[in-house]
Amino acid sequence: MIKSDKQNVVAAAVHALCALARDSQNQVLIARKNLIPHLLKKANCGVDEIEQGITLTLALLAQSNINRPKIMFHGGFKPLIYNAQYGKTDEVRKRSQSVLTSLFKLPGAKRDELVRRAANKFKEGLKMRRSKS
């Protein structure tokens, strides 16, 4: 349930991007304008409507071979894996699983390199959080 005006704006933006991502040309433009990292930041925001919209948008974006490496490079694994396992609804879990399946359709060496980079980013973030505590 949306609680604030800011969340309403975010939800509207996510729904607009989702609508645009249905077209393959728009999928490439969304990636070129570097909107994937912004989507991923809100992927676990705690608002079901926003999380579902982001998961669907990522599922649409992951259909394009051009976007898969960008989703992986920007840390798309963490929120997708979380939603695939602990998503609040069955729909979010199923969509997250389908996105992960699409992401693994990359050629072997490229996929392995991107997975390694994503894992390193995750480890660095974990170390920074631990050092702040």
PDB file of all heavy atoms in Angstrom, residues 18-52:
ATOM      1  N   CYS A  18       7.554   0.778 -17.322  1.00  0.00           N
ATOM      2  CA  CYS A  18       7.078  -0.566 -17.649  1.00  0.00           C
ATOM      3  C   CYS A  18       6.302  -0.539 -18.972  1.00  0.00           C
ATOM      4  O   CYS A  18       6.481  -1.417 -19.825  1.00  0.00           O
ATOM      5  CB  CYS A  18       6.213  -1.095 -16.519  1.00  0.00           C
ATOM      6  SG  CYS A  18       5.726  -2.806 -16.737  1.00  0.00           S
ATOM      7  N   ALA A  19       5.466   0.450 -19.130  1.00  0.00           N
ATOM      8  CA  ALA A  19       4.699   0.581 -20.371  1.00  0.00           C
ATOM      9  C   ALA A  19       5.639   0.820 -21.559  1.00  0.00           C
ATOM     10  O   ALA A  19       5.456   0.255 -22.641  1.00  0.00           O
ATOM     11  CB  ALA A  19       3.683   1.710 -20.249  1.00  0.00           C
ATOM     12  N   LEU A  20       6.659   1.641 -21.358  1.00  0.00           N
ATOM     13  CA  LEU A  20       7.623   1.905 -22.424  1.00  0.00           C
ATOM     14  C   LEU A  20       8.459   0.668 -22.746  1.00  0.00           C
ATOM     15  O   LEU A  20       8.827   0.436 -23.901  1.00  0.00           O
ATOM     16  CB  LEU A  20       8.549   3.060 -22.033  1.00  0.00           C
ATOM     17  CG  LEU A  20       7.920   4.451 -22.009  1.00  0.00           C
ATOM     18  CD1 LEU A  20       8.881   5.452 -21.378  1.00  0.00           C
ATOM     19  CD2 LEU A  20       7.538   4.883 -23.417  1.00  0.00           C
ATOM     20  N   ALA A  21       8.759  -0.133 -21.728  1.00  0.00           N
ATOM     21  CA  ALA A  21       9.629  -1.300 -21.907  1.00  0.00           C
ATOM     22  C   ALA A  21       8.960  -2.410 -22.711  1.00  0.00           C
ATOM     23  O   ALA A  21       9.619  -3.373 -23.101  1.00  0.00           O
ATOM     24  CB  ALA A  21      10.069  -1.828 -20.548  1.00  0.00           C
ATOM     25  N   ARG A  22       7.699  -2.283 -22.995  1.00  0.00           N
ATOM     26  CA  ARG A  22       7.010  -3.303 -23.800  1.00  0.00           C
ATOM     27  C   ARG A  22       7.463  -3.270 -25.263  1.00  0.00           C
ATOM     28  O   ARG A  22       7.310  -4.251 -25.981  1.00  0.00           O
ATOM     29  CB  ARG A  22       5.505  -3.140 -23.697  1.00  0.00           C
ATOM     30  CG  ARG A  22       4.989  -3.396 -22.298  1.00  0.00           C
ATOM     31  CD  ARG A  22       3.485  -3.318 -22.205  1.00  0.00           C
ATOM     32  NE  ARG A  22       3.039  -3.283 -20.826  1.00  0.00           N
ATOM     33  CZ  ARG A  22       2.981  -4.329 -20.012  1.00  0.00           C
ATOM     34  NH1 ARG A  22       3.340  -5.506 -20.436  1.00  0.00           N
ATOM     35  NH2 ARG A  22       2.561  -4.187 -18.771  1.00  0.00           N
ATOM     36  N   ASP A  23       8.061  -2.166 -25.690  1.00  0.00           N
ATOM     37  CA  ASP A  23       8.559  -2.023 -27.057  1.00  0.00           C
ATOM     38  C   ASP A  23      10.070  -2.256 -27.063  1.00  0.00           C
ATOM     39  O   ASP A  23      10.798  -1.707 -26.227  1.00  0.00           O
ATOM     40  CB  ASP A  23       8.228  -0.613 -27.577  1.00  0.00           C
ATOM     41  CG  ASP A  23       8.743  -0.389 -28.974  1.00  0.00           C
ATOM     42  OD1 ASP A  23       8.415  -1.198 -29.866  1.00  0.00           O
ATOM     43  OD2 ASP A  23       9.484   0.595 -29.170  1.00  0.00           O
ATOM     44  N   SER A  24      10.555  -3.043 -28.010  1.00  0.00           N
ATOM     45  CA  SER A  24      11.977  -3.405 -28.028  1.00  0.00           C
ATOM     46  C   SER A  24      12.889  -2.195 -28.253  1.00  0.00           C
ATOM     47  O   SER A  24      13.984  -2.132 -27.690  1.00  0.00           O
ATOM     48  CB  SER A  24      12.244  -4.473 -29.090  1.00  0.00           C
ATOM     49  OG  SER A  24      11.879  -3.995 -30.363  1.00  0.00           O
ATOM     50  N   GLN A  25      12.470  -1.224 -29.056  1.00  0.00           N
ATOM     51  CA  GLN A  25      13.296  -0.032 -29.253  1.00  0.00           C
ATOM     52  C   GLN A  25      13.399   0.782 -27.966  1.00  0.00           C
ATOM     53  O   GLN A  25      14.450   1.329 -27.644  1.00  0.00           O
ATOM     54  CB  GLN A  25      12.734   0.831 -30.372  1.00  0.00           C
ATOM     55  CG  GLN A  25      12.921   0.229 -31.748  1.00  0.00           C
ATOM     56  CD  GLN A  25      12.331   1.106 -32.829  1.00  0.00           C
ATOM     57  OE1 GLN A  25      11.323   1.776 -32.611  1.00  0.00           O
ATOM     58  NE2 GLN A  25      12.962   1.095 -33.995  1.00  0.00           N
ATOM     59  N   ASN A  26      12.295   0.857 -27.239  1.00  0.00           N
ATOM     60  CA  ASN A  26      12.316   1.583 -25.967  1.00  0.00           C
ATOM     61  C   ASN A  26      13.189   0.881 -24.934  1.00  0.00           C
ATOM     62  O   ASN A  26      13.798   1.536 -24.093  1.00  0.00           O
ATOM     63  CB  ASN A  26      10.901   1.748 -25.417  1.00  0.00           C
ATOM     64  CG  ASN A  26      10.088   2.739 -26.216  1.00  0.00           C
ATOM     65  OD1 ASN A  26      10.634   3.584 -26.916  1.00  0.00           O
ATOM     66  ND2 ASN A  26       8.779   2.638 -26.116  1.00  0.00           N
ATOM     67  N   GLN A  27      13.258  -0.440 -24.996  1.00  0.00           N
ATOM     68  CA  GLN A  27      14.100  -1.181 -24.052  1.00  0.00           C
ATOM     69  C   GLN A  27      15.549  -0.747 -24.184  1.00  0.00           C
ATOM     70  O   GLN A  27      16.236  -0.525 -23.188  1.00  0.00           O
ATOM     71  CB  GLN A  27      13.981  -2.682 -24.307  1.00  0.00           C
ATOM     72  CG  GLN A  27      12.642  -3.260 -23.944  1.00  0.00           C
ATOM     73  CD  GLN A  27      12.516  -4.714 -24.335  1.00  0.00           C
ATOM     74  OE1 GLN A  27      13.456  -5.326 -24.843  1.00  0.00           O
ATOM     75  NE2 GLN A  27      11.359  -5.279 -24.091  1.00  0.00           N
ATOM     76  N   VAL A  28      15.998  -0.602 -25.407  1.00  0.00           N
ATOM     77  CA  VAL A  28      17.380  -0.174 -25.648  1.00  0.00           C
ATOM     78  C   VAL A  28      17.577   1.263 -25.161  1.00  0.00           C
ATOM     79  O   VAL A  28      18.598   1.587 -24.542  1.00  0.00           O
ATOM     80  CB  VAL A  28      17.734  -0.319 -27.145  1.00  0.00           C
ATOM     81  CG1 VAL A  28      19.114   0.243 -27.439  1.00  0.00           C
ATOM     82  CG2 VAL A  28      17.644  -1.770 -27.570  1.00  0.00           C
ATOM     83  N   LEU A  29      16.612   2.122 -25.411  1.00  0.00           N
ATOM     84  CA  LEU A  29      16.718   3.522 -24.971  1.00  0.00           C
ATOM     85  C   LEU A  29      16.733   3.632 -23.449  1.00  0.00           C
ATOM     86  O   LEU A  29      17.459   4.458 -22.889  1.00  0.00           O
ATOM     87  CB  LEU A  29      15.574   4.346 -25.552  1.00  0.00           C
ATOM     88  CG  LEU A  29      15.618   4.570 -27.063  1.00  0.00           C
ATOM     89  CD1 LEU A  29      14.348   5.262 -27.541  1.00  0.00           C
ATOM     90  CD2 LEU A  29      16.844   5.380 -27.445  1.00  0.00           C
ATOM     91  N   ILE A  30      15.934   2.819 -22.784  1.00  0.00           N
ATOM     92  CA  ILE A  30      15.920   2.830 -21.308  1.00  0.00           C
ATOM     93  C   ILE A  30      17.300   2.481 -20.774  1.00  0.00           C
ATOM     94  O   ILE A  30      17.800   3.125 -19.850  1.00  0.00           O
ATOM     95  CB  ILE A  30      14.840   1.871 -20.772  1.00  0.00           C
ATOM     96  CG1 ILE A  30      13.439   2.446 -21.047  1.00  0.00           C
ATOM     97  CG2 ILE A  30      15.025   1.600 -19.284  1.00  0.00           C
ATOM     98  CD1 ILE A  30      12.299   1.471 -20.797  1.00  0.00           C
ATOM     99  N   ALA A  31      17.933   1.494 -21.371  1.00  0.00           N
ATOM    100  CA  ALA A  31      19.281   1.105 -20.933  1.00  0.00           C
ATOM    101  C   ALA A  31      20.304   2.191 -21.260  1.00  0.00           C
ATOM    102  O   ALA A  31      21.180   2.486 -20.450  1.00  0.00           O
ATOM    103  CB  ALA A  31      19.681  -0.209 -21.579  1.00  0.00           C
ATOM    104  N   ARG A  32      20.190   2.802 -22.431  1.00  0.00           N
ATOM    105  CA  ARG A  32      21.135   3.860 -22.825  1.00  0.00           C
ATOM    106  C   ARG A  32      21.039   5.074 -21.914  1.00  0.00           C
ATOM    107  O   ARG A  32      22.032   5.753 -21.674  1.00  0.00           O
ATOM    108  CB  ARG A  32      20.877   4.293 -24.261  1.00  0.00           C
ATOM    109  CG  ARG A  32      21.485   3.407 -25.268  1.00  0.00           C
ATOM    110  CD  ARG A  32      21.434   4.024 -26.642  1.00  0.00           C
ATOM    111  NE  ARG A  32      21.785   3.027 -27.629  1.00  0.00           N
ATOM    112  CZ  ARG A  32      21.325   3.006 -28.857  1.00  0.00           C
ATOM    113  NH1 ARG A  32      20.488   3.934 -29.268  1.00  0.00           N
ATOM    114  NH2 ARG A  32      21.699   2.067 -29.696  1.00  0.00           N
ATOM    115  N   LYS A  33      19.852   5.379 -21.444  1.00  0.00           N
ATOM    116  CA  LYS A  33      19.659   6.528 -20.555  1.00  0.00           C
ATOM    117  C   LYS A  33      20.024   6.191 -19.109  1.00  0.00           C
ATOM    118  O   LYS A  33      19.816   6.989 -18.199  1.00  0.00           O
ATOM    119  CB  LYS A  33      18.210   7.024 -20.619  1.00  0.00           C
ATOM    120  CG  LYS A  33      17.811   7.548 -21.975  1.00  0.00           C
ATOM    121  CD  LYS A  33      18.622   8.771 -22.354  1.00  0.00           C
ATOM    122  CE  LYS A  33      18.212   9.290 -23.717  1.00  0.00           C
ATOM    123  NZ  LYS A  33      18.996  10.420 -24.132  1.00  0.00           N
ATOM    124  N   ASN A  34      20.566   4.990 -18.917  1.00  0.00           N
ATOM    125  CA  ASN A  34      21.075   4.553 -17.616  1.00  0.00           C
ATOM    126  C   ASN A  34      19.994   4.539 -16.526  1.00  0.00           C
ATOM    127  O   ASN A  34      20.240   4.953 -15.388  1.00  0.00           O
ATOM    128  CB  ASN A  34      22.259   5.421 -17.200  1.00  0.00           C
ATOM    129  CG  ASN A  34      23.205   4.679 -16.287  1.00  0.00           C
ATOM    130  OD1 ASN A  34      23.265   3.448 -16.313  1.00  0.00           O
ATOM    131  ND2 ASN A  34      23.945   5.425 -15.484  1.00  0.00           N
ATOM    132  N   LEU A  35      18.816   4.047 -16.850  1.00  0.00           N
ATOM    133  CA  LEU A  35      17.726   3.984 -15.883  1.00  0.00           C
ATOM    134  C   LEU A  35      17.703   2.674 -15.098  1.00  0.00           C
ATOM    135  O   LEU A  35      17.022   2.582 -14.076  1.00  0.00           O
ATOM    136  CB  LEU A  35      16.386   4.196 -16.594  1.00  0.00           C
ATOM    137  CG  LEU A  35      16.220   5.575 -17.217  1.00  0.00           C
ATOM    138  CD1 LEU A  35      14.935   5.659 -18.020  1.00  0.00           C
ATOM    139  CD2 LEU A  35      16.241   6.653 -16.157  1.00  0.00           C
ATOM    140  N   ILE A  36      18.450   1.676 -15.540  1.00  0.00           N
ATOM    141  CA  ILE A  36      18.452   0.384 -14.854  1.00  0.00           C
ATOM    142  C   ILE A  36      18.941   0.504 -13.409  1.00  0.00           C
ATOM    143  O   ILE A  36      18.312  -0.039 -12.501  1.00  0.00           O
ATOM    144  CB  ILE A  36      19.245  -0.663 -15.668  1.00  0.00           C
ATOM    145  CG1 ILE A  36      18.466  -0.987 -16.951  1.00  0.00           C
ATOM    146  CG2 ILE A  36      19.495  -1.923 -14.862  1.00  0.00           C
ATOM    147  CD1 ILE A  36      19.206  -1.858 -17.939  1.00  0.00           C
ATOM    148  N   PRO A  37      20.042   1.227 -13.127  1.00  0.00           N
ATOM    149  CA  PRO A  37      20.473   1.349 -11.724  1.00  0.00           C
ATOM    150  C   PRO A  37      19.412   2.004 -10.837  1.00  0.00           C
ATOM    151  O   PRO A  37      19.241   1.622  -9.676  1.00  0.00           O
ATOM    152  CB  PRO A  37      21.724   2.214 -11.789  1.00  0.00           C
ATOM    153  CG  PRO A  37      22.198   2.135 -13.182  1.00  0.00           C
ATOM    154  CD  PRO A  37      21.001   1.863 -14.027  1.00  0.00           C
ATOM    155  N   HIS A  38      18.670   2.955 -11.392  1.00  0.00           N
ATOM    156  CA  HIS A  38      17.634   3.629 -10.606  1.00  0.00           C
ATOM    157  C   HIS A  38      16.488   2.676 -10.290  1.00  0.00           C
ATOM    158  O   HIS A  38      15.917   2.721  -9.190  1.00  0.00           O
ATOM    159  CB  HIS A  38      17.122   4.860 -11.357  1.00  0.00           C
ATOM    160  CG  HIS A  38      18.196   5.869 -11.621  1.00  0.00           C
ATOM    161  ND1 HIS A  38      18.753   6.639 -10.631  1.00  0.00           N
ATOM    162  CD2 HIS A  38      18.834   6.207 -12.766  1.00  0.00           C
ATOM    163  CE1 HIS A  38      19.683   7.409 -11.144  1.00  0.00           C
ATOM    164  NE2 HIS A  38      19.756   7.175 -12.443  1.00  0.00           N
ATOM    165  N   LEU A  39      16.157   1.820 -11.238  1.00  0.00           N
ATOM    166  CA  LEU A  39      15.128   0.812 -10.987  1.00  0.00           C
ATOM    167  C   LEU A  39      15.577  -0.151  -9.889  1.00  0.00           C
ATOM    168  O   LEU A  39      14.811  -0.484  -8.987  1.00  0.00           O
ATOM    169  CB  LEU A  39      14.825   0.018 -12.259  1.00  0.00           C
ATOM    170  CG  LEU A  39      13.971   0.692 -13.316  1.00  0.00           C
ATOM    171  CD1 LEU A  39      13.969  -0.143 -14.591  1.00  0.00           C
ATOM    172  CD2 LEU A  39      12.552   0.874 -12.812  1.00  0.00           C
ATOM    173  N   LEU A  40      16.818  -0.569  -9.979  1.00  0.00           N
ATOM    174  CA  LEU A  40      17.330  -1.546  -9.011  1.00  0.00           C
ATOM    175  C   LEU A  40      17.394  -0.976  -7.598  1.00  0.00           C
ATOM    176  O   LEU A  40      17.234  -1.715  -6.627  1.00  0.00           O
ATOM    177  CB  LEU A  40      18.701  -2.051  -9.455  1.00  0.00           C
ATOM    178  CG  LEU A  40      18.684  -2.898 -10.730  1.00  0.00           C
ATOM    179  CD1 LEU A  40      20.097  -3.168 -11.208  1.00  0.00           C
ATOM    180  CD2 LEU A  40      17.928  -4.186 -10.507  1.00  0.00           C
ATOM    181  N   LYS A  41      17.626   0.326  -7.467  1.00  0.00           N
ATOM    182  CA  LYS A  41      17.663   0.944  -6.136  1.00  0.00           C
ATOM    183  C   LYS A  41      16.322   0.822  -5.421  1.00  0.00           C
ATOM    184  O   LYS A  41      16.264   0.730  -4.200  1.00  0.00           O
ATOM    185  CB  LYS A  41      18.051   2.416  -6.233  1.00  0.00           C
ATOM    186  CG  LYS A  41      19.505   2.649  -6.499  1.00  0.00           C
ATOM    187  CD  LYS A  41      19.800   4.121  -6.594  1.00  0.00           C
ATOM    188  CE  LYS A  41      21.221   4.372  -7.048  1.00  0.00           C
ATOM    189  NZ  LYS A  41      21.500   5.792  -7.259  1.00  0.00           N
ATOM    190  N   LYS A  42      15.244   0.854  -6.178  1.00  0.00           N
ATOM    191  CA  LYS A  42      13.904   0.799  -5.587  1.00  0.00           C
ATOM    192  C   LYS A  42      13.308  -0.606  -5.591  1.00  0.00           C
ATOM    193  O   LYS A  42      12.164  -0.800  -5.192  1.00  0.00           O
ATOM    194  CB  LYS A  42      12.950   1.733  -6.354  1.00  0.00           C
ATOM    195  CG  LYS A  42      13.289   3.195  -6.200  1.00  0.00           C
ATOM    196  CD  LYS A  42      12.994   3.631  -4.805  1.00  0.00           C
ATOM    197  CE  LYS A  42      13.215   5.113  -4.619  1.00  0.00           C
ATOM    198  NZ  LYS A  42      12.971   5.539  -3.262  1.00  0.00           N
ATOM    199  N   ALA A  43      14.076  -1.615  -6.016  1.00  0.00           N
ATOM    200  CA  ALA A  43      13.541  -2.961  -6.171  1.00  0.00           C
ATOM    201  C   ALA A  43      13.086  -3.589  -4.850  1.00  0.00           C
ATOM    202  O   ALA A  43      12.224  -4.452  -4.844  1.00  0.00           O
ATOM    203  CB  ALA A  43      14.558  -3.861  -6.852  1.00  0.00           C
ATOM    204  N   ASN A  44      13.669  -3.179  -3.739  1.00  0.00           N
ATOM    205  CA  ASN A  44      13.279  -3.704  -2.425  1.00  0.00           C
ATOM    206  C   ASN A  44      12.876  -2.568  -1.494  1.00  0.00           C
ATOM    207  O   ASN A  44      13.296  -2.507  -0.351  1.00  0.00           O
ATOM    208  CB  ASN A  44      14.420  -4.507  -1.794  1.00  0.00           C
ATOM    209  CG  ASN A  44      14.626  -5.824  -2.485  1.00  0.00           C
ATOM    210  OD1 ASN A  44      13.680  -6.433  -2.973  1.00  0.00           O
ATOM    211  ND2 ASN A  44      15.866  -6.260  -2.561  1.00  0.00           N
ATOM    212  N   CYS A  45      12.026  -1.687  -1.975  1.00  0.00           N
ATOM    213  CA  CYS A  45      11.666  -0.498  -1.202  1.00  0.00           C
ATOM    214  C   CYS A  45      10.582  -0.764  -0.160  1.00  0.00           C
ATOM    215  O   CYS A  45      10.315   0.073   0.686  1.00  0.00           O
ATOM    216  CB  CYS A  45      11.214   0.617  -2.138  1.00  0.00           C
ATOM    217  SG  CYS A  45       9.695   0.262  -3.022  1.00  0.00           S
ATOM    218  N   GLY A  46       9.942  -1.923  -0.221  1.00  0.00           N
ATOM    219  CA  GLY A  46       8.913  -2.252   0.759  1.00  0.00           C
ATOM    220  C   GLY A  46       7.499  -1.931   0.320  1.00  0.00           C
ATOM    221  O   GLY A  46       6.547  -2.214   1.037  1.00  0.00           O
ATOM    222  N   VAL A  47       7.340  -1.346  -0.851  1.00  0.00           N
ATOM    223  CA  VAL A  47       6.004  -1.031  -1.364  1.00  0.00           C
ATOM    224  C   VAL A  47       5.694  -2.044  -2.467  1.00  0.00           C
ATOM    225  O   VAL A  47       6.375  -2.068  -3.495  1.00  0.00           O
ATOM    226  CB  VAL A  47       5.943   0.414  -1.912  1.00  0.00           C
ATOM    227  CG1 VAL A  47       4.562   0.721  -2.464  1.00  0.00           C
ATOM    228  CG2 VAL A  47       6.318   1.406  -0.827  1.00  0.00           C
ATOM    229  N   ASP A  48       4.696  -2.874  -2.238  1.00  0.00           N
ATOM    230  CA  ASP A  48       4.381  -3.969  -3.156  1.00  0.00           C
ATOM    231  C   ASP A  48       4.164  -3.498  -4.588  1.00  0.00           C
ATOM    232  O   ASP A  48       4.674  -4.100  -5.537  1.00  0.00           O
ATOM    233  CB  ASP A  48       3.126  -4.730  -2.698  1.00  0.00           C
ATOM    234  CG  ASP A  48       3.362  -5.505  -1.419  1.00  0.00           C
ATOM    235  OD1 ASP A  48       4.528  -5.794  -1.102  1.00  0.00           O
ATOM    236  OD2 ASP A  48       2.360  -5.824  -0.740  1.00  0.00           O
ATOM    237  N   GLU A  49       3.414  -2.434  -4.761  1.00  0.00           N
ATOM    238  CA  GLU A  49       3.088  -1.943  -6.102  1.00  0.00           C
ATOM    239  C   GLU A  49       4.352  -1.543  -6.866  1.00  0.00           C
ATOM    240  O   GLU A  49       4.501  -1.853  -8.050  1.00  0.00           O
ATOM    241  CB  GLU A  49       2.135  -0.758  -6.000  1.00  0.00           C
ATOM    242  CG  GLU A  49       1.641  -0.247  -7.320  1.00  0.00           C
ATOM    243  CD  GLU A  49       0.681   0.921  -7.172  1.00  0.00           C
ATOM    244  OE1 GLU A  49       0.157   1.146  -6.066  1.00  0.00           O
ATOM    245  OE2 GLU A  49       0.473   1.622  -8.179  1.00  0.00           O
ATOM    246  N   ILE A  50       5.269  -0.884  -6.182  1.00  0.00           N
ATOM    247  CA  ILE A  50       6.519  -0.450  -6.813  1.00  0.00           C
ATOM    248  C   ILE A  50       7.397  -1.667  -7.116  1.00  0.00           C
ATOM    249  O   ILE A  50       7.945  -1.793  -8.217  1.00  0.00           O
ATOM    250  CB  ILE A  50       7.260   0.572  -5.931  1.00  0.00           C
ATOM    251  CG1 ILE A  50       6.437   1.866  -5.831  1.00  0.00           C
ATOM    252  CG2 ILE A  50       8.659   0.860  -6.477  1.00  0.00           C
ATOM    253  CD1 ILE A  50       6.974   2.863  -4.828  1.00  0.00           C
ATOM    254  N   GLU A  51       7.528  -2.579  -6.152  1.00  0.00           N
ATOM    255  CA  GLU A  51       8.357  -3.763  -6.350  1.00  0.00           C
ATOM    256  C   GLU A  51       7.846  -4.618  -7.506  1.00  0.00           C
ATOM    257  O   GLU A  51       8.636  -5.111  -8.314  1.00  0.00           O
ATOM    258  CB  GLU A  51       8.415  -4.593  -5.070  1.00  0.00           C
ATOM    259  CG  GLU A  51       9.233  -3.941  -3.978  1.00  0.00           C
ATOM    260  CD  GLU A  51       9.235  -4.737  -2.681  1.00  0.00           C
ATOM    261  OE1 GLU A  51       8.574  -5.800  -2.618  1.00  0.00           O
ATOM    262  OE2 GLU A  51       9.899  -4.295  -1.737  1.00  0.00           O
ATOM    263  N   GLN A  52       6.541  -4.791  -7.606  1.00  0.00           N
ATOM    264  CA  GLN A  52       5.974  -5.580  -8.697  1.00  0.00           C
ATOM    265  C   GLN A  52       6.215  -4.907 -10.042  1.00  0.00           C
ATOM    266  O   GLN A  52       6.564  -5.571 -11.025  1.00  0.00           O
ATOM    267  CB  GLN A  52       4.471  -5.792  -8.482  1.00  0.00           C
ATOM    268  CG  GLN A  52       4.160  -6.757  -7.376  1.00  0.00           C
ATOM    269  CD  GLN A  52       2.662  -6.883  -7.124  1.00  0.00           C
ATOM    270  OE1 GLN A  52       1.850  -6.259  -7.799  1.00  0.00           O
ATOM    271  NE2 GLN A  52       2.294  -7.685  -6.145  1.00  0.00           N
TER     272      GLN A  52
END
